[in-house]
Amino acid sequence: MNWHVAHLPEGGSSRPTGGNQEIGLICPRCLRSFSVRVETATRARVKQRVQRVVGWLLVLSLLATVPLLIQLGGRTVEEGDDQAVDNIGLLFGLAAAGVIVGPSLLFGASMHDGVGKLRLIRTDGRKTRWVQGHRLF
């Protein structure tokens, strides 16, 4: 699995063999020092696959929830029948999750490479919480 930080001028470094590793690097554009957290290739691959599977399951669940929602939504409901209203609410929530969360997970899985937490190393050696507007990848 390729990761973008390895292609920086510093020569990069290989992925860690166990756990997460924090790697220091220098930005080729602004020449400032940064640190990034890199996951093992196995962990990054597993996270990517889990996101893909859950995303596809949510998208495919639309094949069942939307027709059921249409069928139950067209029925007349007796007064005081809270069960029917609860079923419609549950199906609507599942359909909304399938429409919103499913594609989001699929998109996130395609972007996940196991490299995260880009932090600027200040002159005094401390690290910032995050760096806004800086793209190394």
Side-chain angles (χ1 to χ4, degrees), residues 42-117:
T42 306
R43 179 181 237 169
R45 201 173 300 116
V46 166
K47 281 184 179 179
Q48 189 179 44
R49 286 182 183 160
V50 166
Q51 284 182 348
R52 235 182 229 132
V53 166
V54 172
W56 277 114
L57 286 174
L58 284 171
V59 169
L60 291 175
S61 73
L62 292 173
L63 295 174
T65 55
V66 171
L68 280 173
L69 189 60
I70 291 171
Q71 180 185 6
L72 291 178
R75 291 184 181 172
T76 55
V77 179
E78 299 283 332
E79 267 189 58
D81 187 8
D82 293 335
Q83 180 75 22
V85 174
D86 291 342
N87 289 341
I88 294 285
L90 178 66
L91 286 173
F92 186 76
L94 288 174
V99 168
I100 296 167
V101 179
S104 299
L105 283 174
L106 290 173
F107 179 72
S110 66
M111 299 297 291
H112 184 74
D113 57 1
V115 178
K117 269 199 181 171

